[in-house]
Coordinates of all heavy atoms in Angstrom, one line a residue:
M6 N 114.6 50.3 -84.1 CA 115.3 51.7 -83.9 C 116.5 51.6 -84.7 O 117.3 50.6 -84.7 CB 115.7 51.7 -82.5 CG 116.2 53.1 -82.1 SD 116.6 53.3 -80.2 CE 115.2 53.3 -79.4
T7 N 116.8 52.8 -85.4 CA 117.9 52.8 -86.3 C 119.1 53.1 -85.5 O 119.2 53.5 -84.4 CB 117.6 53.9 -87.4 OG1 117.7 55.1 -86.7 CG2 116.4 53.7 -88.2
E8 N 120.3 52.9 -86.2 CA 121.6 53.1 -85.5 C 121.7 54.8 -85.2 O 122.1 55.1 -84.1 CB 122.7 52.7 -86.4 CG 124.1 53.0 -85.8 CD 124.3 52.3 -84.5 OE1 123.7 51.1 -84.2 OE2 124.9 52.9 -83.6
F9 N 121.2 55.5 -86.1 CA 121.1 56.9 -85.9 C 120.3 57.3 -84.7 O 120.8 58.1 -83.9 CB 120.6 57.7 -87.1 CG 120.6 59.1 -87.0 CD1 121.8 59.9 -87.1 CD2 119.4 59.7 -86.7 CE1 121.6 61.4 -86.8 CE2 119.2 61.2 -86.6 CZ 120.3 61.9 -86.7
T10 N 119.2 56.7 -84.5 CA 118.3 57.0 -83.4 C 119.1 56.6 -82.2 O 119.0 57.4 -81.1 CB 117.0 56.2 -83.5 OG1 116.4 56.7 -84.7 CG2 116.1 56.7 -82.5
R11 N 119.7 55.5 -82.2 CA 120.5 55.0 -81.0 C 121.6 56.0 -80.6 O 121.9 56.2 -79.5 CB 120.9 53.6 -81.1 CG 119.8 52.5 -81.0 CD 120.5 51.1 -80.9 NE 121.0 50.7 -82.2 CZ 120.1 50.0 -83.0 NH1 118.9 49.8 -82.8 NH2 120.7 49.6 -84.2
A12 N 122.3 56.5 -81.6 CA 123.3 57.3 -81.5 C 122.8 58.7 -80.8 O 123.5 59.3 -79.9 CB 124.2 57.7 -82.7
V13 N 121.8 59.2 -81.3 CA 121.2 60.5 -80.8 C 120.8 60.2 -79.3 O 121.1 61.1 -78.5 CB 120.0 60.9 -81.6 CG1 119.2 62.1 -81.1 CG2 120.5 61.3 -83.1
K14 N 120.2 59.1 -79.0 CA 119.9 58.7 -77.7 C 121.0 58.8 -76.7 O 121.0 59.4 -75.7 CB 119.1 57.4 -77.7 CG 118.5 57.1 -76.2 CD 117.8 55.7 -76.3 CE 117.3 55.5 -74.8 NZ 116.6 54.2 -74.8
R15 N 122.2 58.2 -77.2 CA 123.3 58.1 -76.3 C 123.9 59.5 -76.1 O 124.3 59.8 -74.9 CB 124.4 57.2 -77.1 CG 124.2 55.8 -76.8 CD 125.5 55.0 -77.2 NE 125.9 55.3 -78.7 CZ 125.5 54.4 -79.7 NH1 124.6 53.5 -79.6 NH2 125.9 54.9 -80.9
V16 N 123.9 60.3 -77.1 CA 124.4 61.7 -76.9 C 123.5 62.4 -75.9 O 123.9 63.2 -75.1 CB 124.4 62.4 -78.3 CG1 124.8 63.9 -78.2 CG2 125.5 61.7 -79.1
A17 N 122.3 62.3 -76.1 CA 121.3 63.0 -75.2 C 121.5 62.5 -73.8 O 121.4 63.3 -72.8 CB 119.9 62.8 -75.6
V18 N 121.5 61.2 -73.5 CA 121.8 60.8 -72.1 C 123.1 61.2 -71.6 O 123.0 61.6 -70.4 CB 121.7 59.1 -72.2 CG1 122.3 58.6 -70.9 CG2 120.3 58.6 -72.6
Q19 N 124.2 61.3 -72.4 CA 125.5 61.8 -71.8 C 125.4 63.3 -71.5 O 125.9 63.7 -70.5 CB 126.5 61.5 -72.9 CG 128.0 61.9 -72.4 CD 128.4 61.0 -71.2 OE1 128.1 60.0 -71.0 NE2 129.0 61.7 -70.4
A20 N 124.7 64.1 -72.3 CA 124.5 65.5 -72.2 C 123.8 65.7 -70.8 O 124.1 66.6 -69.9 CB 123.6 66.2 -73.2
V21 N 122.7 64.8 -70.5 CA 122.1 65.0 -69.2 C 123.0 64.7 -68.0 O 123.0 65.3 -67.0 CB 120.8 64.1 -69.2 CG1 120.2 64.0 -67.7 CG2 119.7 64.7 -70.2
K22 N 123.7 63.6 -68.1 CA 124.7 63.2 -67.1 C 125.7 64.3 -66.8 O 126.0 64.5 -65.7 CB 125.4 61.9 -67.5 CG 124.6 60.6 -67.3 CD 125.4 59.4 -67.7 CE 124.7 58.2 -67.6 NZ 125.5 57.1 -67.9
E23 N 126.2 65.0 -67.9 CA 127.1 66.0 -67.6 C 126.6 67.3 -67.0 O 127.4 68.1 -66.5 CB 127.8 66.3 -68.9 CG 128.6 65.3 -69.5 CD 129.4 65.5 -70.8 OE1 129.1 66.6 -71.4 OE2 130.0 64.7 -71.2
T24 N 125.3 67.5 -66.9 CA 124.8 68.5 -66.2 C 124.8 68.4 -64.7 O 124.6 69.4 -63.9 CB 123.2 68.8 -66.5 OG1 122.5 67.8 -66.3 CG2 123.2 69.1 -68.1
V25 N 125.0 67.2 -64.2 CA 125.1 67.0 -62.8 C 126.6 66.9 -62.4 O 127.2 65.9 -62.8 CB 124.5 65.6 -62.4 CG1 124.6 65.3 -60.9 CG2 123.0 65.6 -62.8
P26 N 127.2 67.8 -61.7 CA 128.6 67.9 -61.5 C 129.1 66.8 -60.6 O 130.3 66.5 -60.6 CB 128.8 69.2 -60.8 CG 127.5 69.6 -60.2 CD 126.4 68.9 -61.0
A27 N 128.3 66.1 -59.8 CA 128.8 65.1 -58.9 C 127.6 64.2 -58.4 O 126.4 64.6 -58.4 CB 129.4 65.8 -57.6
N28 N 128.1 63.0 -57.9 CA 127.1 62.0 -57.4 C 127.4 61.6 -56.0 O 128.6 61.3 -55.8 CB 127.0 60.8 -58.3 CG 126.4 61.1 -59.7 OD1 125.3 61.9 -59.8 ND2 126.9 60.6 -60.7
A29 N 126.5 61.4 -55.1 CA 126.8 60.9 -53.8 C 127.0 59.4 -53.9 O 126.2 58.8 -54.5 CB 125.8 61.3 -52.8
V30 N 127.9 58.7 -53.2 CA 128.2 57.3 -53.2 C 128.7 57.1 -51.8 O 129.1 57.8 -51.0 CB 129.1 56.8 -54.3 CG1 128.7 56.9 -55.7 CG2 130.6 57.5 -54.1
F31 N 128.4 55.7 -51.5 CA 128.8 55.4 -50.2 C 129.9 54.1 -50.3 O 129.8 53.4 -51.2 CB 127.6 54.8 -49.3 CG 126.7 55.9 -49.1 CD1 125.6 56.2 -49.9 CD2 126.8 56.8 -48.1 CE1 124.7 57.2 -49.8 CE2 126.0 57.8 -47.7 CZ 124.9 58.1 -48.5
G32 N 130.8 54.0 -49.3 CA 131.8 53.0 -49.4 C 132.3 52.6 -48.0 O 131.9 53.1 -47.0
T33 N 133.1 51.5 -48.0 CA 133.7 51.1 -46.7 C 135.2 51.1 -46.8 O 135.9 50.6 -47.9 CB 133.3 49.6 -46.5 OG1 131.8 49.5 -46.5 CG2 133.8 49.0 -45.2
V34 N 136.0 51.6 -45.9 CA 137.4 51.7 -45.8 C 137.8 50.2 -45.8 O 137.5 49.4 -44.7 CB 137.8 52.4 -44.7 CG1 139.5 52.4 -44.6 CG2 137.4 53.8 -44.8
V35 N 138.6 49.6 -46.6 CA 139.1 48.3 -46.7 C 140.6 48.2 -46.4 O 141.2 47.2 -46.3 CB 138.8 47.5 -48.0 CG1 137.3 47.3 -48.1 CG2 139.4 48.3 -49.2
S36 N 141.3 49.3 -46.4 CA 142.7 49.5 -46.1 C 143.1 50.9 -45.7 O 142.5 51.8 -46.2 CB 143.6 49.1 -47.4 OG 145.0 49.3 -47.1
T37 N 144.0 51.0 -44.7 CA 144.3 52.3 -44.4 C 145.8 52.8 -44.8 O 146.1 53.9 -44.8 CB 144.3 52.5 -42.8 OG1 145.2 51.5 -42.2 CG2 142.9 52.3 -42.2
E38 N 146.7 51.8 -45.0 CA 148.0 52.1 -45.5 C 148.3 51.2 -46.7 O 148.6 50.1 -46.6 CB 149.0 51.7 -44.5 CG 148.9 52.8 -43.4 CD 149.3 54.2 -43.8 OE1 150.2 54.3 -44.7 OE2 148.8 55.1 -43.3
P39 N 148.0 51.6 -48.0 CA 147.4 53.0 -48.3 C 145.9 53.0 -48.1 O 145.3 51.9 -48.3 CB 147.8 53.1 -49.8 CG 147.9 51.6 -50.3 CD 148.4 50.8 -49.1
L40 N 145.3 54.2 -48.0 CA 143.9 54.3 -47.9 C 143.2 53.7 -49.2 O 143.5 54.2 -50.2 CB 143.6 55.7 -47.6 CG 142.1 55.9 -47.4 CD1 141.5 55.1 -46.2 CD2 141.8 57.4 -47.3
Q41 N 142.3 52.8 -49.0 CA 141.5 52.3 -50.1 C 140.1 52.2 -49.6 O 139.9 51.7 -48.5 CB 142.0 50.8 -50.5 CG 143.4 50.9 -51.1 CD 143.9 49.5 -51.5 OE1 143.0 48.6 -51.9 NE2 145.1 49.3 -51.6
I42 N 139.1 52.6 -50.5 CA 137.7 52.5 -50.2 C 137.0 51.6 -51.2 O 137.1 52.1 -52.3 CB 137.1 54.0 -49.9 CG1 137.9 54.7 -48.9 CG2 135.6 53.8 -49.7 CD1 137.5 56.2 -48.7
D43 N 136.2 50.7 -50.7 CA 135.4 50.0 -51.6 C 134.0 50.6 -51.8 O 133.3 50.8 -50.8 CB 135.3 48.5 -51.1 CG 134.4 47.6 -51.9 OD1 134.1 48.0 -53.1 OD2 133.9 46.6 -51.5
V44 N 133.8 51.0 -53.0 CA 132.5 51.6 -53.3 C 131.6 50.8 -54.3 O 130.7 51.3 -54.9 CB 132.6 53.1 -53.8 CG1 133.1 54.0 -52.8 CG2 133.4 53.1 -55.1
G45 N 132.0 49.5 -54.4 CA 131.3 48.6 -55.3 C 131.7 48.5 -56.7 O 130.9 47.9 -57.5
Y46 N 132.9 49.2 -57.0 CA 133.3 49.1 -58.4 C 134.1 47.8 -58.5 O 134.1 47.0 -57.5 CB 134.2 50.2 -58.7 CG 133.6 51.8 -58.5 CD1 134.3 52.8 -58.2 CD2 132.2 51.8 -58.8 CE1 133.8 54.0 -58.0 CE2 131.6 53.1 -58.7 CZ 132.4 54.1 -58.2 OH 131.9 55.4 -58.2
E47 N 134.8 47.6 -59.7 CA 135.6 46.3 -59.7 C 136.7 46.2 -58.8 O 136.9 45.0 -58.2 CB 136.1 46.4 -61.2 CG 136.7 45.0 -61.6 CD 137.1 45.1 -63.1 OE1 136.1 45.2 -63.9 OE2 138.2 44.9 -63.3
K48 N 137.3 47.3 -58.4 CA 138.3 47.2 -57.4 C 138.2 48.6 -56.6 O 137.6 49.5 -56.9 CB 139.7 47.2 -58.0 CG 140.1 48.2 -59.1 CD 141.3 47.8 -59.7 CE 141.8 48.7 -60.9 NZ 143.0 48.4 -61.4
P49 N 138.8 48.5 -55.3 CA 138.6 49.7 -54.4 C 139.4 51.0 -55.0 O 140.2 50.9 -55.8 CB 139.3 49.4 -53.2 CG 139.4 47.8 -53.3 CD 139.4 47.5 -54.7
I50 N 138.9 52.2 -54.7 CA 139.5 53.3 -55.2 C 140.6 53.8 -54.2 O 140.4 53.6 -52.9 CB 138.5 54.6 -55.3 CG1 137.6 54.7 -54.1 CG2 137.6 54.2 -56.6 CD1 136.7 55.9 -54.2
Y51 N 141.7 54.4 -54.6 CA 142.8 54.7 -53.7 C 143.6 55.9 -54.4 O 143.4 56.2 -55.6 CB 143.5 53.5 -53.4 CG 144.2 52.9 -54.7 CD1 145.5 53.2 -55.1 CD2 143.6 52.1 -55.5 CE1 146.0 52.7 -56.3 CE2 144.1 51.4 -56.7 CZ 145.4 51.8 -57.0 OH 145.8 51.3 -58.2
G52 N 144.6 56.3 -53.7 CA 145.6 57.2 -54.2 C 145.0 58.6 -54.7 O 144.2 59.1 -54.0
E53 N 145.4 59.0 -55.8 CA 145.0 60.2 -56.4 C 143.5 60.3 -56.7 O 143.0 61.4 -56.9 CB 145.8 60.5 -57.7 CG 147.2 60.8 -57.4 CD 148.0 61.2 -58.7 OE1 147.3 61.2 -59.7 OE2 149.1 61.4 -58.6
L54 N 142.9 59.1 -56.7 CA 141.3 59.1 -56.9 C 140.6 59.5 -55.7 O 139.4 59.8 -55.8 CB 141.0 57.7 -57.4 CG 141.6 57.2 -58.6 CD1 141.1 55.8 -59.0 CD2 141.4 58.1 -59.8
L55 N 141.2 59.6 -54.6 CA 140.6 60.1 -53.3 C 141.1 61.5 -52.9 O 142.3 61.7 -52.9 CB 141.0 59.0 -52.2 CG 140.2 57.7 -52.2 CD1 140.8 56.8 -51.2 CD2 138.8 57.9 -52.1
I56 N 140.3 62.3 -52.6 CA 140.6 63.6 -52.1 C 140.0 63.5 -50.6 O 139.0 63.5 -50.4 CB 139.7 64.8 -52.9 CG1 140.1 64.8 -54.3 CG2 140.0 66.1 -52.2 CD1 139.3 65.6 -55.2
L57 N 141.2 63.7 -49.7 CA 140.9 63.5 -48.3 C 141.1 64.9 -47.6 O 142.2 65.4 -47.5 CB 141.7 62.4 -47.8 CG 141.7 61.9 -46.4 CD1 140.2 61.2 -46.3 CD2 142.7 61.1 -45.9
P58 N 140.1 65.5 -46.9 CA 140.2 66.7 -46.3 C 141.1 66.5 -45.0 O 141.2 65.3 -44.6 CB 138.8 67.0 -45.8 CG 137.9 66.4 -46.8 CD 138.6 65.1 -47.1
S59 N 141.8 67.5 -44.6 CA 142.7 67.4 -43.4 C 142.0 67.0 -42.2 O 142.6 66.4 -41.3 CB 143.5 68.8 -43.3 OG 142.5 69.8 -43.0
S60 N 140.7 67.2 -42.1 CA 140.0 66.8 -40.9 C 139.9 65.3 -40.8 O 139.6 64.8 -39.7 CB 138.5 67.3 -41.0 OG 137.8 66.9 -42.0
F61 N 140.3 64.5 -41.7 CA 140.4 63.1 -41.6 C 141.7 62.5 -41.6 O 142.1 61.4 -41.8 CB 139.7 62.4 -42.9 CG 138.1 62.7 -42.8 CD1 137.7 63.6 -43.9 CD2 137.3 62.1 -42.0 CE1 136.3 63.8 -44.0 CE2 136.0 62.4 -42.0 CZ 135.5 63.3 -43.0
R62 N 142.6 63.4 -41.0 CA 144.0 62.9 -40.8 C 144.3 63.1 -39.3 O 143.7 63.7 -38.5 CB 145.0 63.8 -41.7 CG 144.6 63.6 -43.2 CD 145.7 64.3 -44.0 NE 145.4 64.1 -45.5 CZ 145.0 65.0 -46.2 NH1 145.0 66.3 -45.8 NH2 144.9 64.8 -47.5
K63 N 145.6 62.6 -39.0 CA 146.1 62.8 -37.7 C 146.8 64.2 -37.7 O 147.6 64.5 -38.4 CB 147.2 61.8 -37.4 CG 147.7 61.8 -35.9 CD 148.8 60.7 -35.6 CE 148.3 59.3 -35.8 NZ 149.3 58.3 -35.5
N64 N 146.4 65.1 -36.7 CA 146.9 66.4 -36.6 C 147.4 66.8 -35.3 O 147.0 66.3 -34.3 CB 145.7 67.5 -36.9 CG 145.2 67.4 -38.3 OD1 145.9 67.7 -39.3 ND2 143.9 67.0 -38.5
T65 N 148.5 67.3 -35.3 CA 149.3 67.7 -34.0 C 149.1 69.2 -33.8 O 149.4 70.0 -34.7 CB 150.7 67.3 -34.0 OG1 150.7 65.8 -34.2 CG2 151.4 67.6 -32.8
Y66 N 148.7 69.7 -32.6 CA 148.7 71.1 -32.3 C 149.5 71.4 -31.1 O 149.5 70.5 -30.1 CB 147.2 71.5 -32.0 CG 146.2 71.2 -33.0 CD1 145.5 69.9 -33.2 CD2 146.0 72.0 -34.2 CE1 144.6 69.6 -34.1 CE2 145.2 71.7 -35.1 CZ 144.5 70.5 -35.2 OH 143.6 70.3 -36.1
T67 N 150.3 72.5 -31.1 CA 151.1 72.9 -29.9 C 150.7 74.3 -29.5 O 150.5 75.1 -30.3 CB 152.7 72.9 -30.4 OG1 153.0 71.6 -30.9 CG2 153.5 73.2 -29.3
T68 N 150.6 74.4 -28.2 CA 150.2 75.7 -27.7 C 151.3 76.0 -26.5 O 151.8 75.1 -26.0 CB 148.9 75.7 -27.0 OG1 148.8 74.8 -25.8 CG2 147.7 75.4 -27.9
T69 N 151.4 77.3 -26.3 CA 152.4 77.7 -25.3 C 151.8 78.7 -24.5 O 151.1 79.7 -24.9 CB 153.7 78.4 -26.0 OG1 154.2 77.5 -26.9 CG2 154.7 78.8 -24.9
S70 N 151.8 78.6 -23.1 CA 151.2 79.5 -22.2 C 152.0 80.6 -22.0 O 153.2 80.5 -22.2 CB 151.0 78.7 -20.9 OG 152.2 78.4 -20.3
G71 N 151.4 81.8 -21.6 CA 152.2 83.0 -21.6 C 152.7 83.2 -20.0 O 153.2 84.2 -19.7
G72 N 152.6 82.1 -19.1 CA 152.9 82.2 -17.8 C 154.5 82.3 -17.6 O 155.3 82.2 -18.5
N73 N 154.9 82.4 -16.2 CA 156.2 82.5 -15.9 C 156.5 81.3 -15.0 O 156.1 81.4 -13.9 CB 156.6 83.8 -15.4 CG 158.2 83.9 -15.1 OD1 158.9 83.1 -15.6 ND2 158.6 84.9 -14.5
P74 N 157.2 80.3 -15.4 CA 157.6 80.0 -16.6 C 156.7 79.6 -17.6 O 155.6 79.1 -17.3 CB 158.7 78.8 -16.5 CG 158.2 78.1 -15.2 CD 157.5 79.2 -14.4
S75 N 157.0 79.7 -18.9 CA 156.0 79.4 -19.9 C 156.0 77.8 -20.1 O 157.0 77.1 -19.8 CB 156.2 80.0 -21.3 OG 157.5 79.5 -21.8
H76 N 154.9 77.3 -20.6 CA 154.7 75.8 -20.8 C 154.2 75.6 -22.1 O 153.4 76.3 -22.7 CB 153.6 75.2 -19.8 CG 153.9 75.3 -18.4 ND1 154.5 76.3 -17.7 CD2 154.0 74.3 -17.4 CE1 154.8 76.1 -16.5 NE2 154.4 74.9 -16.3
T77 N 154.8 74.5 -22.8 CA 154.4 74.2 -24.1 C 153.6 72.8 -23.9 O 154.0 71.9 -23.2 CB 155.5 73.9 -24.9 OG1 156.2 75.2 -25.0 CG2 155.1 73.4 -26.4
H78 N 152.4 72.7 -24.6 CA 151.6 71.6 -24.6 C 151.4 71.2 -26.0 O 151.0 71.9 -26.9 CB 150.2 71.8 -23.9 CG 150.3 72.3 -22.4 ND1 150.5 71.4 -21.5 CD2 150.4 73.6 -21.9 CE1 150.6 72.1 -20.3 NE2 150.6 73.4 -20.6
T79 N 151.4 69.9 -26.2 CA 151.2 69.3 -27.6 C 150.0 68.3 -27.5 O 150.0 67.5 -26.6 CB 152.5 68.5 -28.2 OG1 153.5 69.4 -28.2 CG2 152.3 67.9 -29.5
I80 N 149.1 68.6 -28.4 CA 147.9 67.7 -28.4 C 147.8 67.0 -29.8 O 148.0 67.7 -30.8 CB 146.6 68.4 -28.2 CG1 146.6 69.2 -26.8 CG2 145.4 67.7 -28.3 CD1 145.5 70.1 -26.7
E81 N 147.5 65.7 -29.9 CA 147.4 65.0 -31.1 C 146.0 64.5 -31.2 O 145.5 63.9 -30.3 CB 148.5 63.8 -31.2 CG 148.4 63.1 -32.5 CD 149.4 62.0 -32.6 OE1 150.6 62.4 -32.9 OE2 148.9 60.9 -32.3
I82 N 145.4 64.9 -32.3 CA 144.0 64.5 -32.5 C 144.0 63.6 -33.8 O 144.4 63.9 -34.9 CB 143.1 65.6 -32.7 CG1 143.0 66.4 -31.5 CG2 141.6 65.1 -33.1 CD1 142.3 67.8 -31.6
D83 N 143.6 62.3 -33.6 CA 143.5 61.4 -34.7 C 142.2 61.1 -35.3 O 141.5 60.3 -34.7 CB 144.3 60.0 -34.2 CG 144.4 59.0 -35.4 OD1 144.2 59.4 -36.5 OD2 144.9 57.9 -35.2
N84 N 141.9 61.7 -36.3 CA 140.6 61.5 -37.0 C 140.8 60.7 -38.3 O 139.9 60.7 -39.2 CB 139.9 62.9 -37.3 CG 139.4 63.6 -36.1 OD1 139.0 62.9 -35.1 ND2 139.3 64.9 -36.2
S85 N 141.9 60.0 -38.4 CA 142.0 59.3 -39.6 C 141.1 58.1 -39.7 O 140.6 57.7 -38.8 CB 143.5 58.7 -39.7 OG 143.8 57.9 -38.5
L86 N 140.8 57.8 -40.9 CA 139.8 56.7 -41.2 C 140.4 55.4 -40.8 O 141.6 55.1 -40.8 CB 139.4 56.7 -42.8 CG 138.8 58.1 -43.2 CD1 138.6 58.0 -44.8 CD2 137.4 58.2 -42.6
K87 N 139.5 54.5 -40.4 CA 139.8 53.2 -39.8 C 139.3 52.2 -40.7 O 138.2 52.4 -41.3 CB 139.3 53.1 -38.3 CG 139.5 54.3 -37.4 CD 141.0 54.4 -36.9 CE 141.3 55.3 -35.8 NZ 141.4 56.7 -36.4
M88 N 139.9 50.9 -40.7 CA 139.3 49.7 -41.3 C 137.8 49.6 -41.0 O 137.5 49.7 -39.7 CB 140.1 48.5 -41.0 CG 141.4 48.5 -41.6 SD 141.4 47.9 -43.3 CE 140.8 46.3 -43.1
G89 N 136.9 49.4 -41.9 CA 135.6 49.1 -41.5 C 134.7 50.4 -41.5 O 133.5 50.2 -41.6
D90 N 135.3 51.6 -41.5 CA 134.5 52.8 -41.4 C 133.6 52.9 -42.7 O 134.0 52.6 -43.8 CB 135.3 54.1 -41.4 CG 135.9 54.4 -40.1 OD1 135.5 53.8 -39.0 OD2 136.7 55.4 -40.0
K91 N 132.3 53.2 -42.4 CA 131.4 53.5 -43.6 C 131.5 55.0 -43.9 O 131.3 55.8 -43.0 CB 130.0 53.2 -43.3 CG 129.8 51.8 -42.7 CD 130.1 50.7 -43.8 CE 129.7 49.3 -43.3 NZ 130.4 48.3 -43.9
V92 N 131.9 55.4 -45.2 CA 132.0 56.7 -45.5 C 131.0 57.2 -46.7 O 130.7 56.4 -47.5 CB 133.4 57.0 -45.9 CG1 134.3 56.9 -44.8 CG2 133.9 56.2 -47.1
A93 N 130.7 58.4 -46.6 CA 130.0 59.1 -47.8 C 131.0 59.8 -48.7 O 132.0 60.5 -48.1 CB 129.0 60.2 -47.3
L94 N 130.9 59.7 -49.9 CA 131.8 60.4 -50.9 C 131.0 61.1 -51.9 O 129.9 60.8 -52.2 CB 132.6 59.3 -51.5 CG 133.6 58.4 -50.6 CD1 132.9 57.0 -50.6 CD2 134.9 58.4 -51.0
L95 N 131.7 62.0 -52.6 CA 131.1 62.7 -53.7 C 132.0 62.4 -54.8 O 133.2 62.7 -54.9 CB 131.2 64.2 -53.4 CG 130.2 65.2 -54.2 CD1 128.8 64.8 -53.9 CD2 130.5 66.6 -53.7
K96 N 131.4 61.6 -55.8 CA 132.1 61.3 -57.1 C 132.0 62.5 -58.0 O 130.9 62.9 -58.4 CB 131.5 60.0 -57.6 CG 132.2 59.5 -59.0 CD 131.5 58.3 -59.5 CE 132.3 58.0 -60.8 NZ 131.5 57.0 -61.6
M97 N 133.2 62.9 -58.5 CA 133.2 64.0 -59.3 C 132.8 63.5 -60.9 O 133.3 62.5 -61.2 CB 134.6 64.6 -59.4 CG 135.1 65.0 -58.1 SD 134.1 66.2 -57.2 CE 134.2 67.6 -58.2
Q98 N 131.9 64.3 -61.6 CA 131.4 63.9 -62.8 C 132.6 64.1 -63.8 O 133.4 64.9 -63.6 CB 130.2 64.9 -63.1 CG 129.5 64.4 -64.5 CD 129.0 63.1 -64.4 OE1 128.4 62.6 -63.4 NE2 128.9 62.4 -65.4
G99 N 132.6 63.1 -64.7 CA 133.6 63.1 -65.8 C 134.9 62.6 -65.4 O 135.8 62.8 -66.1
G100 N 135.0 62.0 -64.3 CA 136.4 61.4 -63.7 C 136.0 60.4 -62.7 O 135.0 60.0 -62.4
Q101 N 137.1 60.0 -62.2 CA 137.0 58.9 -61.2 C 137.5 59.2 -59.8 O 137.6 58.6 -58.8 CB 138.0 57.7 -61.6 CG 137.7 57.1 -62.9 CD 138.6 56.0 -63.4 OE1 139.8 55.9 -62.8 NE2 138.2 55.2 -64.2
R102 N 137.7 60.6 -59.6 CA 138.0 61.2 -58.4 C 136.8 61.3 -57.4 O 135.8 61.6 -57.9 CB 138.7 62.5 -58.5 CG 139.9 62.5 -59.3 CD 140.7 63.7 -59.3 NE 141.3 63.8 -58.1 CZ 142.0 64.9 -57.7 NH1 142.1 65.9 -58.4 NH2 142.6 64.8 -56.3
H103 N 137.1 61.1 -56.1 CA 136.1 61.1 -55.0 C 136.6 61.9 -53.9 O 137.7 61.8 -53.5 CB 135.8 59.7 -54.7 CG 135.2 58.7 -55.6 ND1 135.9 58.2 -56.6 CD2 134.0 58.2 -55.6 CE1 135.2 57.5 -57.4 NE2 133.9 57.4 -56.8
I104 N 135.7 62.7 -53.3 CA 136.0 63.6 -52.2 C 135.3 62.9 -51.0 O 134.1 62.6 -51.0 CB 135.3 64.9 -52.4 CG1 135.9 65.7 -53.5 CG2 135.6 65.8 -51.0 CD1 135.2 66.9 -53.9
V105 N 136.1 62.6 -50.0 CA 135.6 61.8 -48.8 C 134.8 63.0 -48.0 O 135.4 64.1 -47.6 CB 136.7 61.3 -47.8 CG1 136.0 60.7 -46.6 CG2 137.3 60.2 -48.7
L106 N 133.5 62.9 -47.7 CA 132.6 63.9 -47.1 C 132.6 63.7 -45.5 O 132.6 64.5 -44.9 CB 131.3 63.8 -47.6 CG 131.1 64.2 -49.1 CD1 129.7 64.1 -49.4 CD2 131.6 65.6 -49.3
G107 N 132.5 62.3 -45.2 CA 132.4 62.0 -43.7 C 132.1 60.6 -43.5 O 131.8 59.8 -44.4
V108 N 132.2 60.1 -42.2 CA 131.9 58.9 -41.7 C 130.4 58.8 -41.4 O 129.9 59.7 -40.8 CB 132.8 58.6 -40.5 CG1 132.4 57.2 -40.0 CG2 134.2 58.6 -40.9
V109 N 129.8 57.8 -41.8 CA 128.3 57.5 -41.6 C 128.1 56.4 -40.7 O 128.9 55.5 -40.6 CB 127.6 57.5 -42.9 CG1 127.6 58.7 -43.8 CG2 128.0 56.4 -43.8

């Protein structure tokens, strides 16, 4: 196979890869502060490389009743990821960013 043929093959393979906007990958939470997920790469992914929906965070909700006297209630729901959680992620094509889809 000539060098030209190998170059054409590389370009063709890259063009096919770019038609797929994202790939599903699975990983394990190895740290929560800061959040790091091991997906089998050389080192865990973290920081700006992770896109974490608000549904995977600790959220606080406050409601007030309309009674007399009125009452205020605060509820905290902690859906943050925990050490050892197995997660599904969507790896964005053309970069290293990953969207956390859910715990599996």
Side-chain angles (χ1 to χ4, degrees):
M6 188 181 288
T7 68
E8 183 59 35
F9 176 75
T10 306
R11 282 191 288 274
V13 169
K14 183 178 178 181
R15 281 193 303 268
V16 169
V18 168
Q19 186 61 35
V21 169
K22 284 183 179 178
E23 289 178 4
T24 62
V25 179
N28 293 320
V30 294
F31 296 92
T33 303
V34 176
V35 293
S36 172
T37 57
E38 289 296 326
L40 179 61
Q41 295 184 28
I42 300 175
D43 180 11
V44 292
Y46 304 149
E47 192 170 304
K48 54 186 174 176
I50 54 176
Y51 61 93
E53 292 181 0
L54 300 179
L55 288 172
I56 300 169
L57 190 66
S59 63
S60 58
F61 295 109
R62 297 187 178 114
K63 188 183 294 186
N64 294 297
T65 303
Y66 303 95
T67 303
T68 62
T69 304
S70 68
N73 188 10
S75 64
H76 293 46
T77 300
H78 300 277
T79 301
I80 300 170
E81 184 177 272
I82 299 175
D83 186 3
N84 286 330
S85 56
L86 296 173
K87 314 286 188 277
M88 287 277 295
D90 279 351
K91 307 290 186 205
V92 293
L94 304 107
L95 201 57
K96 179 182 178 187
M97 305 304 293
Q98 186 65 31
Q101 298 176 340
R102 298 192 74 188
H103 295 70
I104 302 169
V105 179
L106 297 175
V108 177
V109 292

